Amino acid sequence: MSNLIRVSRRRLLASGGKAAVLVAAAGIAPKFIRPSRAYAADALAPGMIGGPTGFDGSERYQYGADTPEGRAIEAAKAMKGAGKAPAKIVLGLSDGSIGQLTQPFPAGAPSIKDLWEKETGIPLEIVGVPNGQEFTKTMQDISTKGGAYDIYAVEWNRLGDLAETGGILKLDDFVAQYKPEWDDPERGYVDGAKGVSLLNQYRGSTYGVSLDGDFQTWVYRTDLFGDANEKKAFSDKYGYELAAPKTWKQHDEIAAFFQRPDKGLFGSTDLRNQGWATPTGISVMSQWLRPISSCSTIPASR
C-alpha cells in the first residue's frame, strides 16, 4: 500500500490507474452503536483511542485500537507520519449529501470531515456532483482517465459495471489486512456475509464499501387501529384482526380500508415506489427514511 500512496491519485488514473468506490445502499444499514458508558461528554471514554466527543452519548461512536475503525485510523496516521499519505483525498459526492459530512450533528459534535482530518492529518476535499449524475460523472472520469477523484460515491448496484471498466480498485488485500468486520452479527451488515456480498463485492472480490446509513421508521395511527368500530369493520371485511401490517398484502388491505380522501384521510403515504415519494395529507401509515451517512465508497484504482 505504501508504494501506491507515493504517487498522486490523479496522476495515476490519468496514466491508467484506478479509484476507490463508495456505494449507496438505501435502507440497508450497518449497526454502529455500542452500549453506552458513563463518561465526560468532552473526553474519550476509557479504552477508546478516537471518535467524536462533545455531546451526551458520543462514547457510543468512539472506537478502540482493536476495532476496524481503530485499525484504519492508525494505519492512516502511520502513513502520514512516514510521509506516504496523499496530500489530500478527493471525494466526489452527491451535492445533496455533502452536508452530512461537513455539518456537525448534534450540537457540540465535530463534523465527520473535521474529525477525520483531526485524527489523520489528511485533508478531505469534497467535490459536489449533481444529484442523479453520480454514475455518469464516475464513468466519465474513468473513461477519460481524468483522475478528478480519489473516491467515487455511487449506487451500490453499479459496482459490477465499474469493476468491469477496470477503473476502480480491488480491495481484497486491504480487507485482509485491516479486517473491517462487516459480517459481525451485532455491528455488521444485515444478513452478514450475504449483505457484504450484495453491497461490497463483485464476482467474489471486494470493490466497494457501503457507507449508507438509512434507517426506516414506520408510524401508524394508534387511535384508529385501536378504535373498536374500525377494528370490527376491518375484521368483518378481511377476516383478520386490524394491526400493524407484517406483509405487503396486509399493508395494501389496511391502506385500502383507511383510504378516505373525502375526509382528508389517506391509507398510506409510505415510500413504496421505486424512487422517493412525497407524503401528503393525513395518513394512517407512513414510512420515513432518514440518511445518517449518504453513501458507500469505491476507491479509484491506484
Side-chain angles (χ1 to χ4, degrees), residues 57-222:
S58 58
E59 73 275 12
R60 295 179 298 167
Y61 304 93
Q62 295 169 9
Y63 52 83
D66 190 24
T67 64
E69 303 97 312
R71 291 190 288 271
I73 292 295
E74 290 302 299
K77 289 165 64 177
M79 290 166 54
K80 179 68 175 179
K84 298 176 180 178
K88 64 180 177 180
I89 295 175
V90 181
L91 166 63
L93 186 62
S94 171
D95 286 329
S97 300
I98 292 176
Q100 297 180 34
L101 300 185
T102 60
Q103 296 298 317
F105 181 83
S111 72
I112 294 174
K113 179 180 184 294
D114 287 343
L115 183 61
W116 162 266
E117 294 177 341
K118 176 184 176 182
E119 294 194 347
T120 68
I122 304 172
L124 176 63
E125 179 182 334
I126 303 175
V127 178
V129 177
N131 295 333
Q133 296 184 31
E134 297 84 1
F135 178 70
T136 299
K137 294 296 184 181
T138 296
M139 289 298 295
Q140 287 175 349
D141 194 55
I142 292 174
S143 62
T144 62
K145 298 183 180 180
Y149 313 102
D150 298 304
I151 302 176
Y152 301 124
V154 299
E155 304 93 332
W156 67 273
N157 57 356
R158 299 292 196 176
L159 197 60
D161 296 328
L162 296 176
E164 288 291 345
T165 68
I168 61 174
L169 183 67
K170 186 181 293 188
L171 303 177
D172 292 347
D173 291 343
F174 298 99
V175 170
Q177 183 173 0
Y178 298 107
K179 303 176 179 60
E181 299 179 8
W182 294 319
D183 58 352
D184 181 87
E186 293 186 4
R187 301 177 63 242
Y189 292 13
V190 173
D191 290 333
K194 290 183 178 179
V196 176
S197 176
L198 174 68
L199 300 178
N200 294 2
Q201 297 180 341
Y202 176 69
R203 293 190 172 182
S205 287
T206 299
Y207 286 93
V209 180
S210 174
L211 296 185
D212 208 356
D214 288 354
F215 64 87
Q216 298 178 354
T217 300
W218 282 78
V219 180
Y220 63 94
R221 294 275 300 273
T222 56

Side-chain angles (χ1 to χ4, degrees), residues 234-241:
F234 182 85
S235 62
D236 288 346
K237 183 173 183 178
Y238 293 104
Y240 60 93
E241 184 178 351

Side-chain angles (χ1 to χ4, degrees), residues 231-265:
K231 292 170 66 174
K232 183 178 186 305
F234 182 85
S235 62
D236 288 346
K237 183 173 183 178
Y238 293 104
Y240 60 93
E241 184 178 351
L242 178 62
K246 295 182 178 180
T247 67
W248 286 115
K249 181 176 184 295
Q250 293 174 355
H251 176 283
D252 290 346
E253 290 174 345
I254 294 171
F257 177 75
F258 282 112
Q259 180 68 10
R260 304 163 192 175
D262 57 321
K263 298 181 180 180
L265 183 65

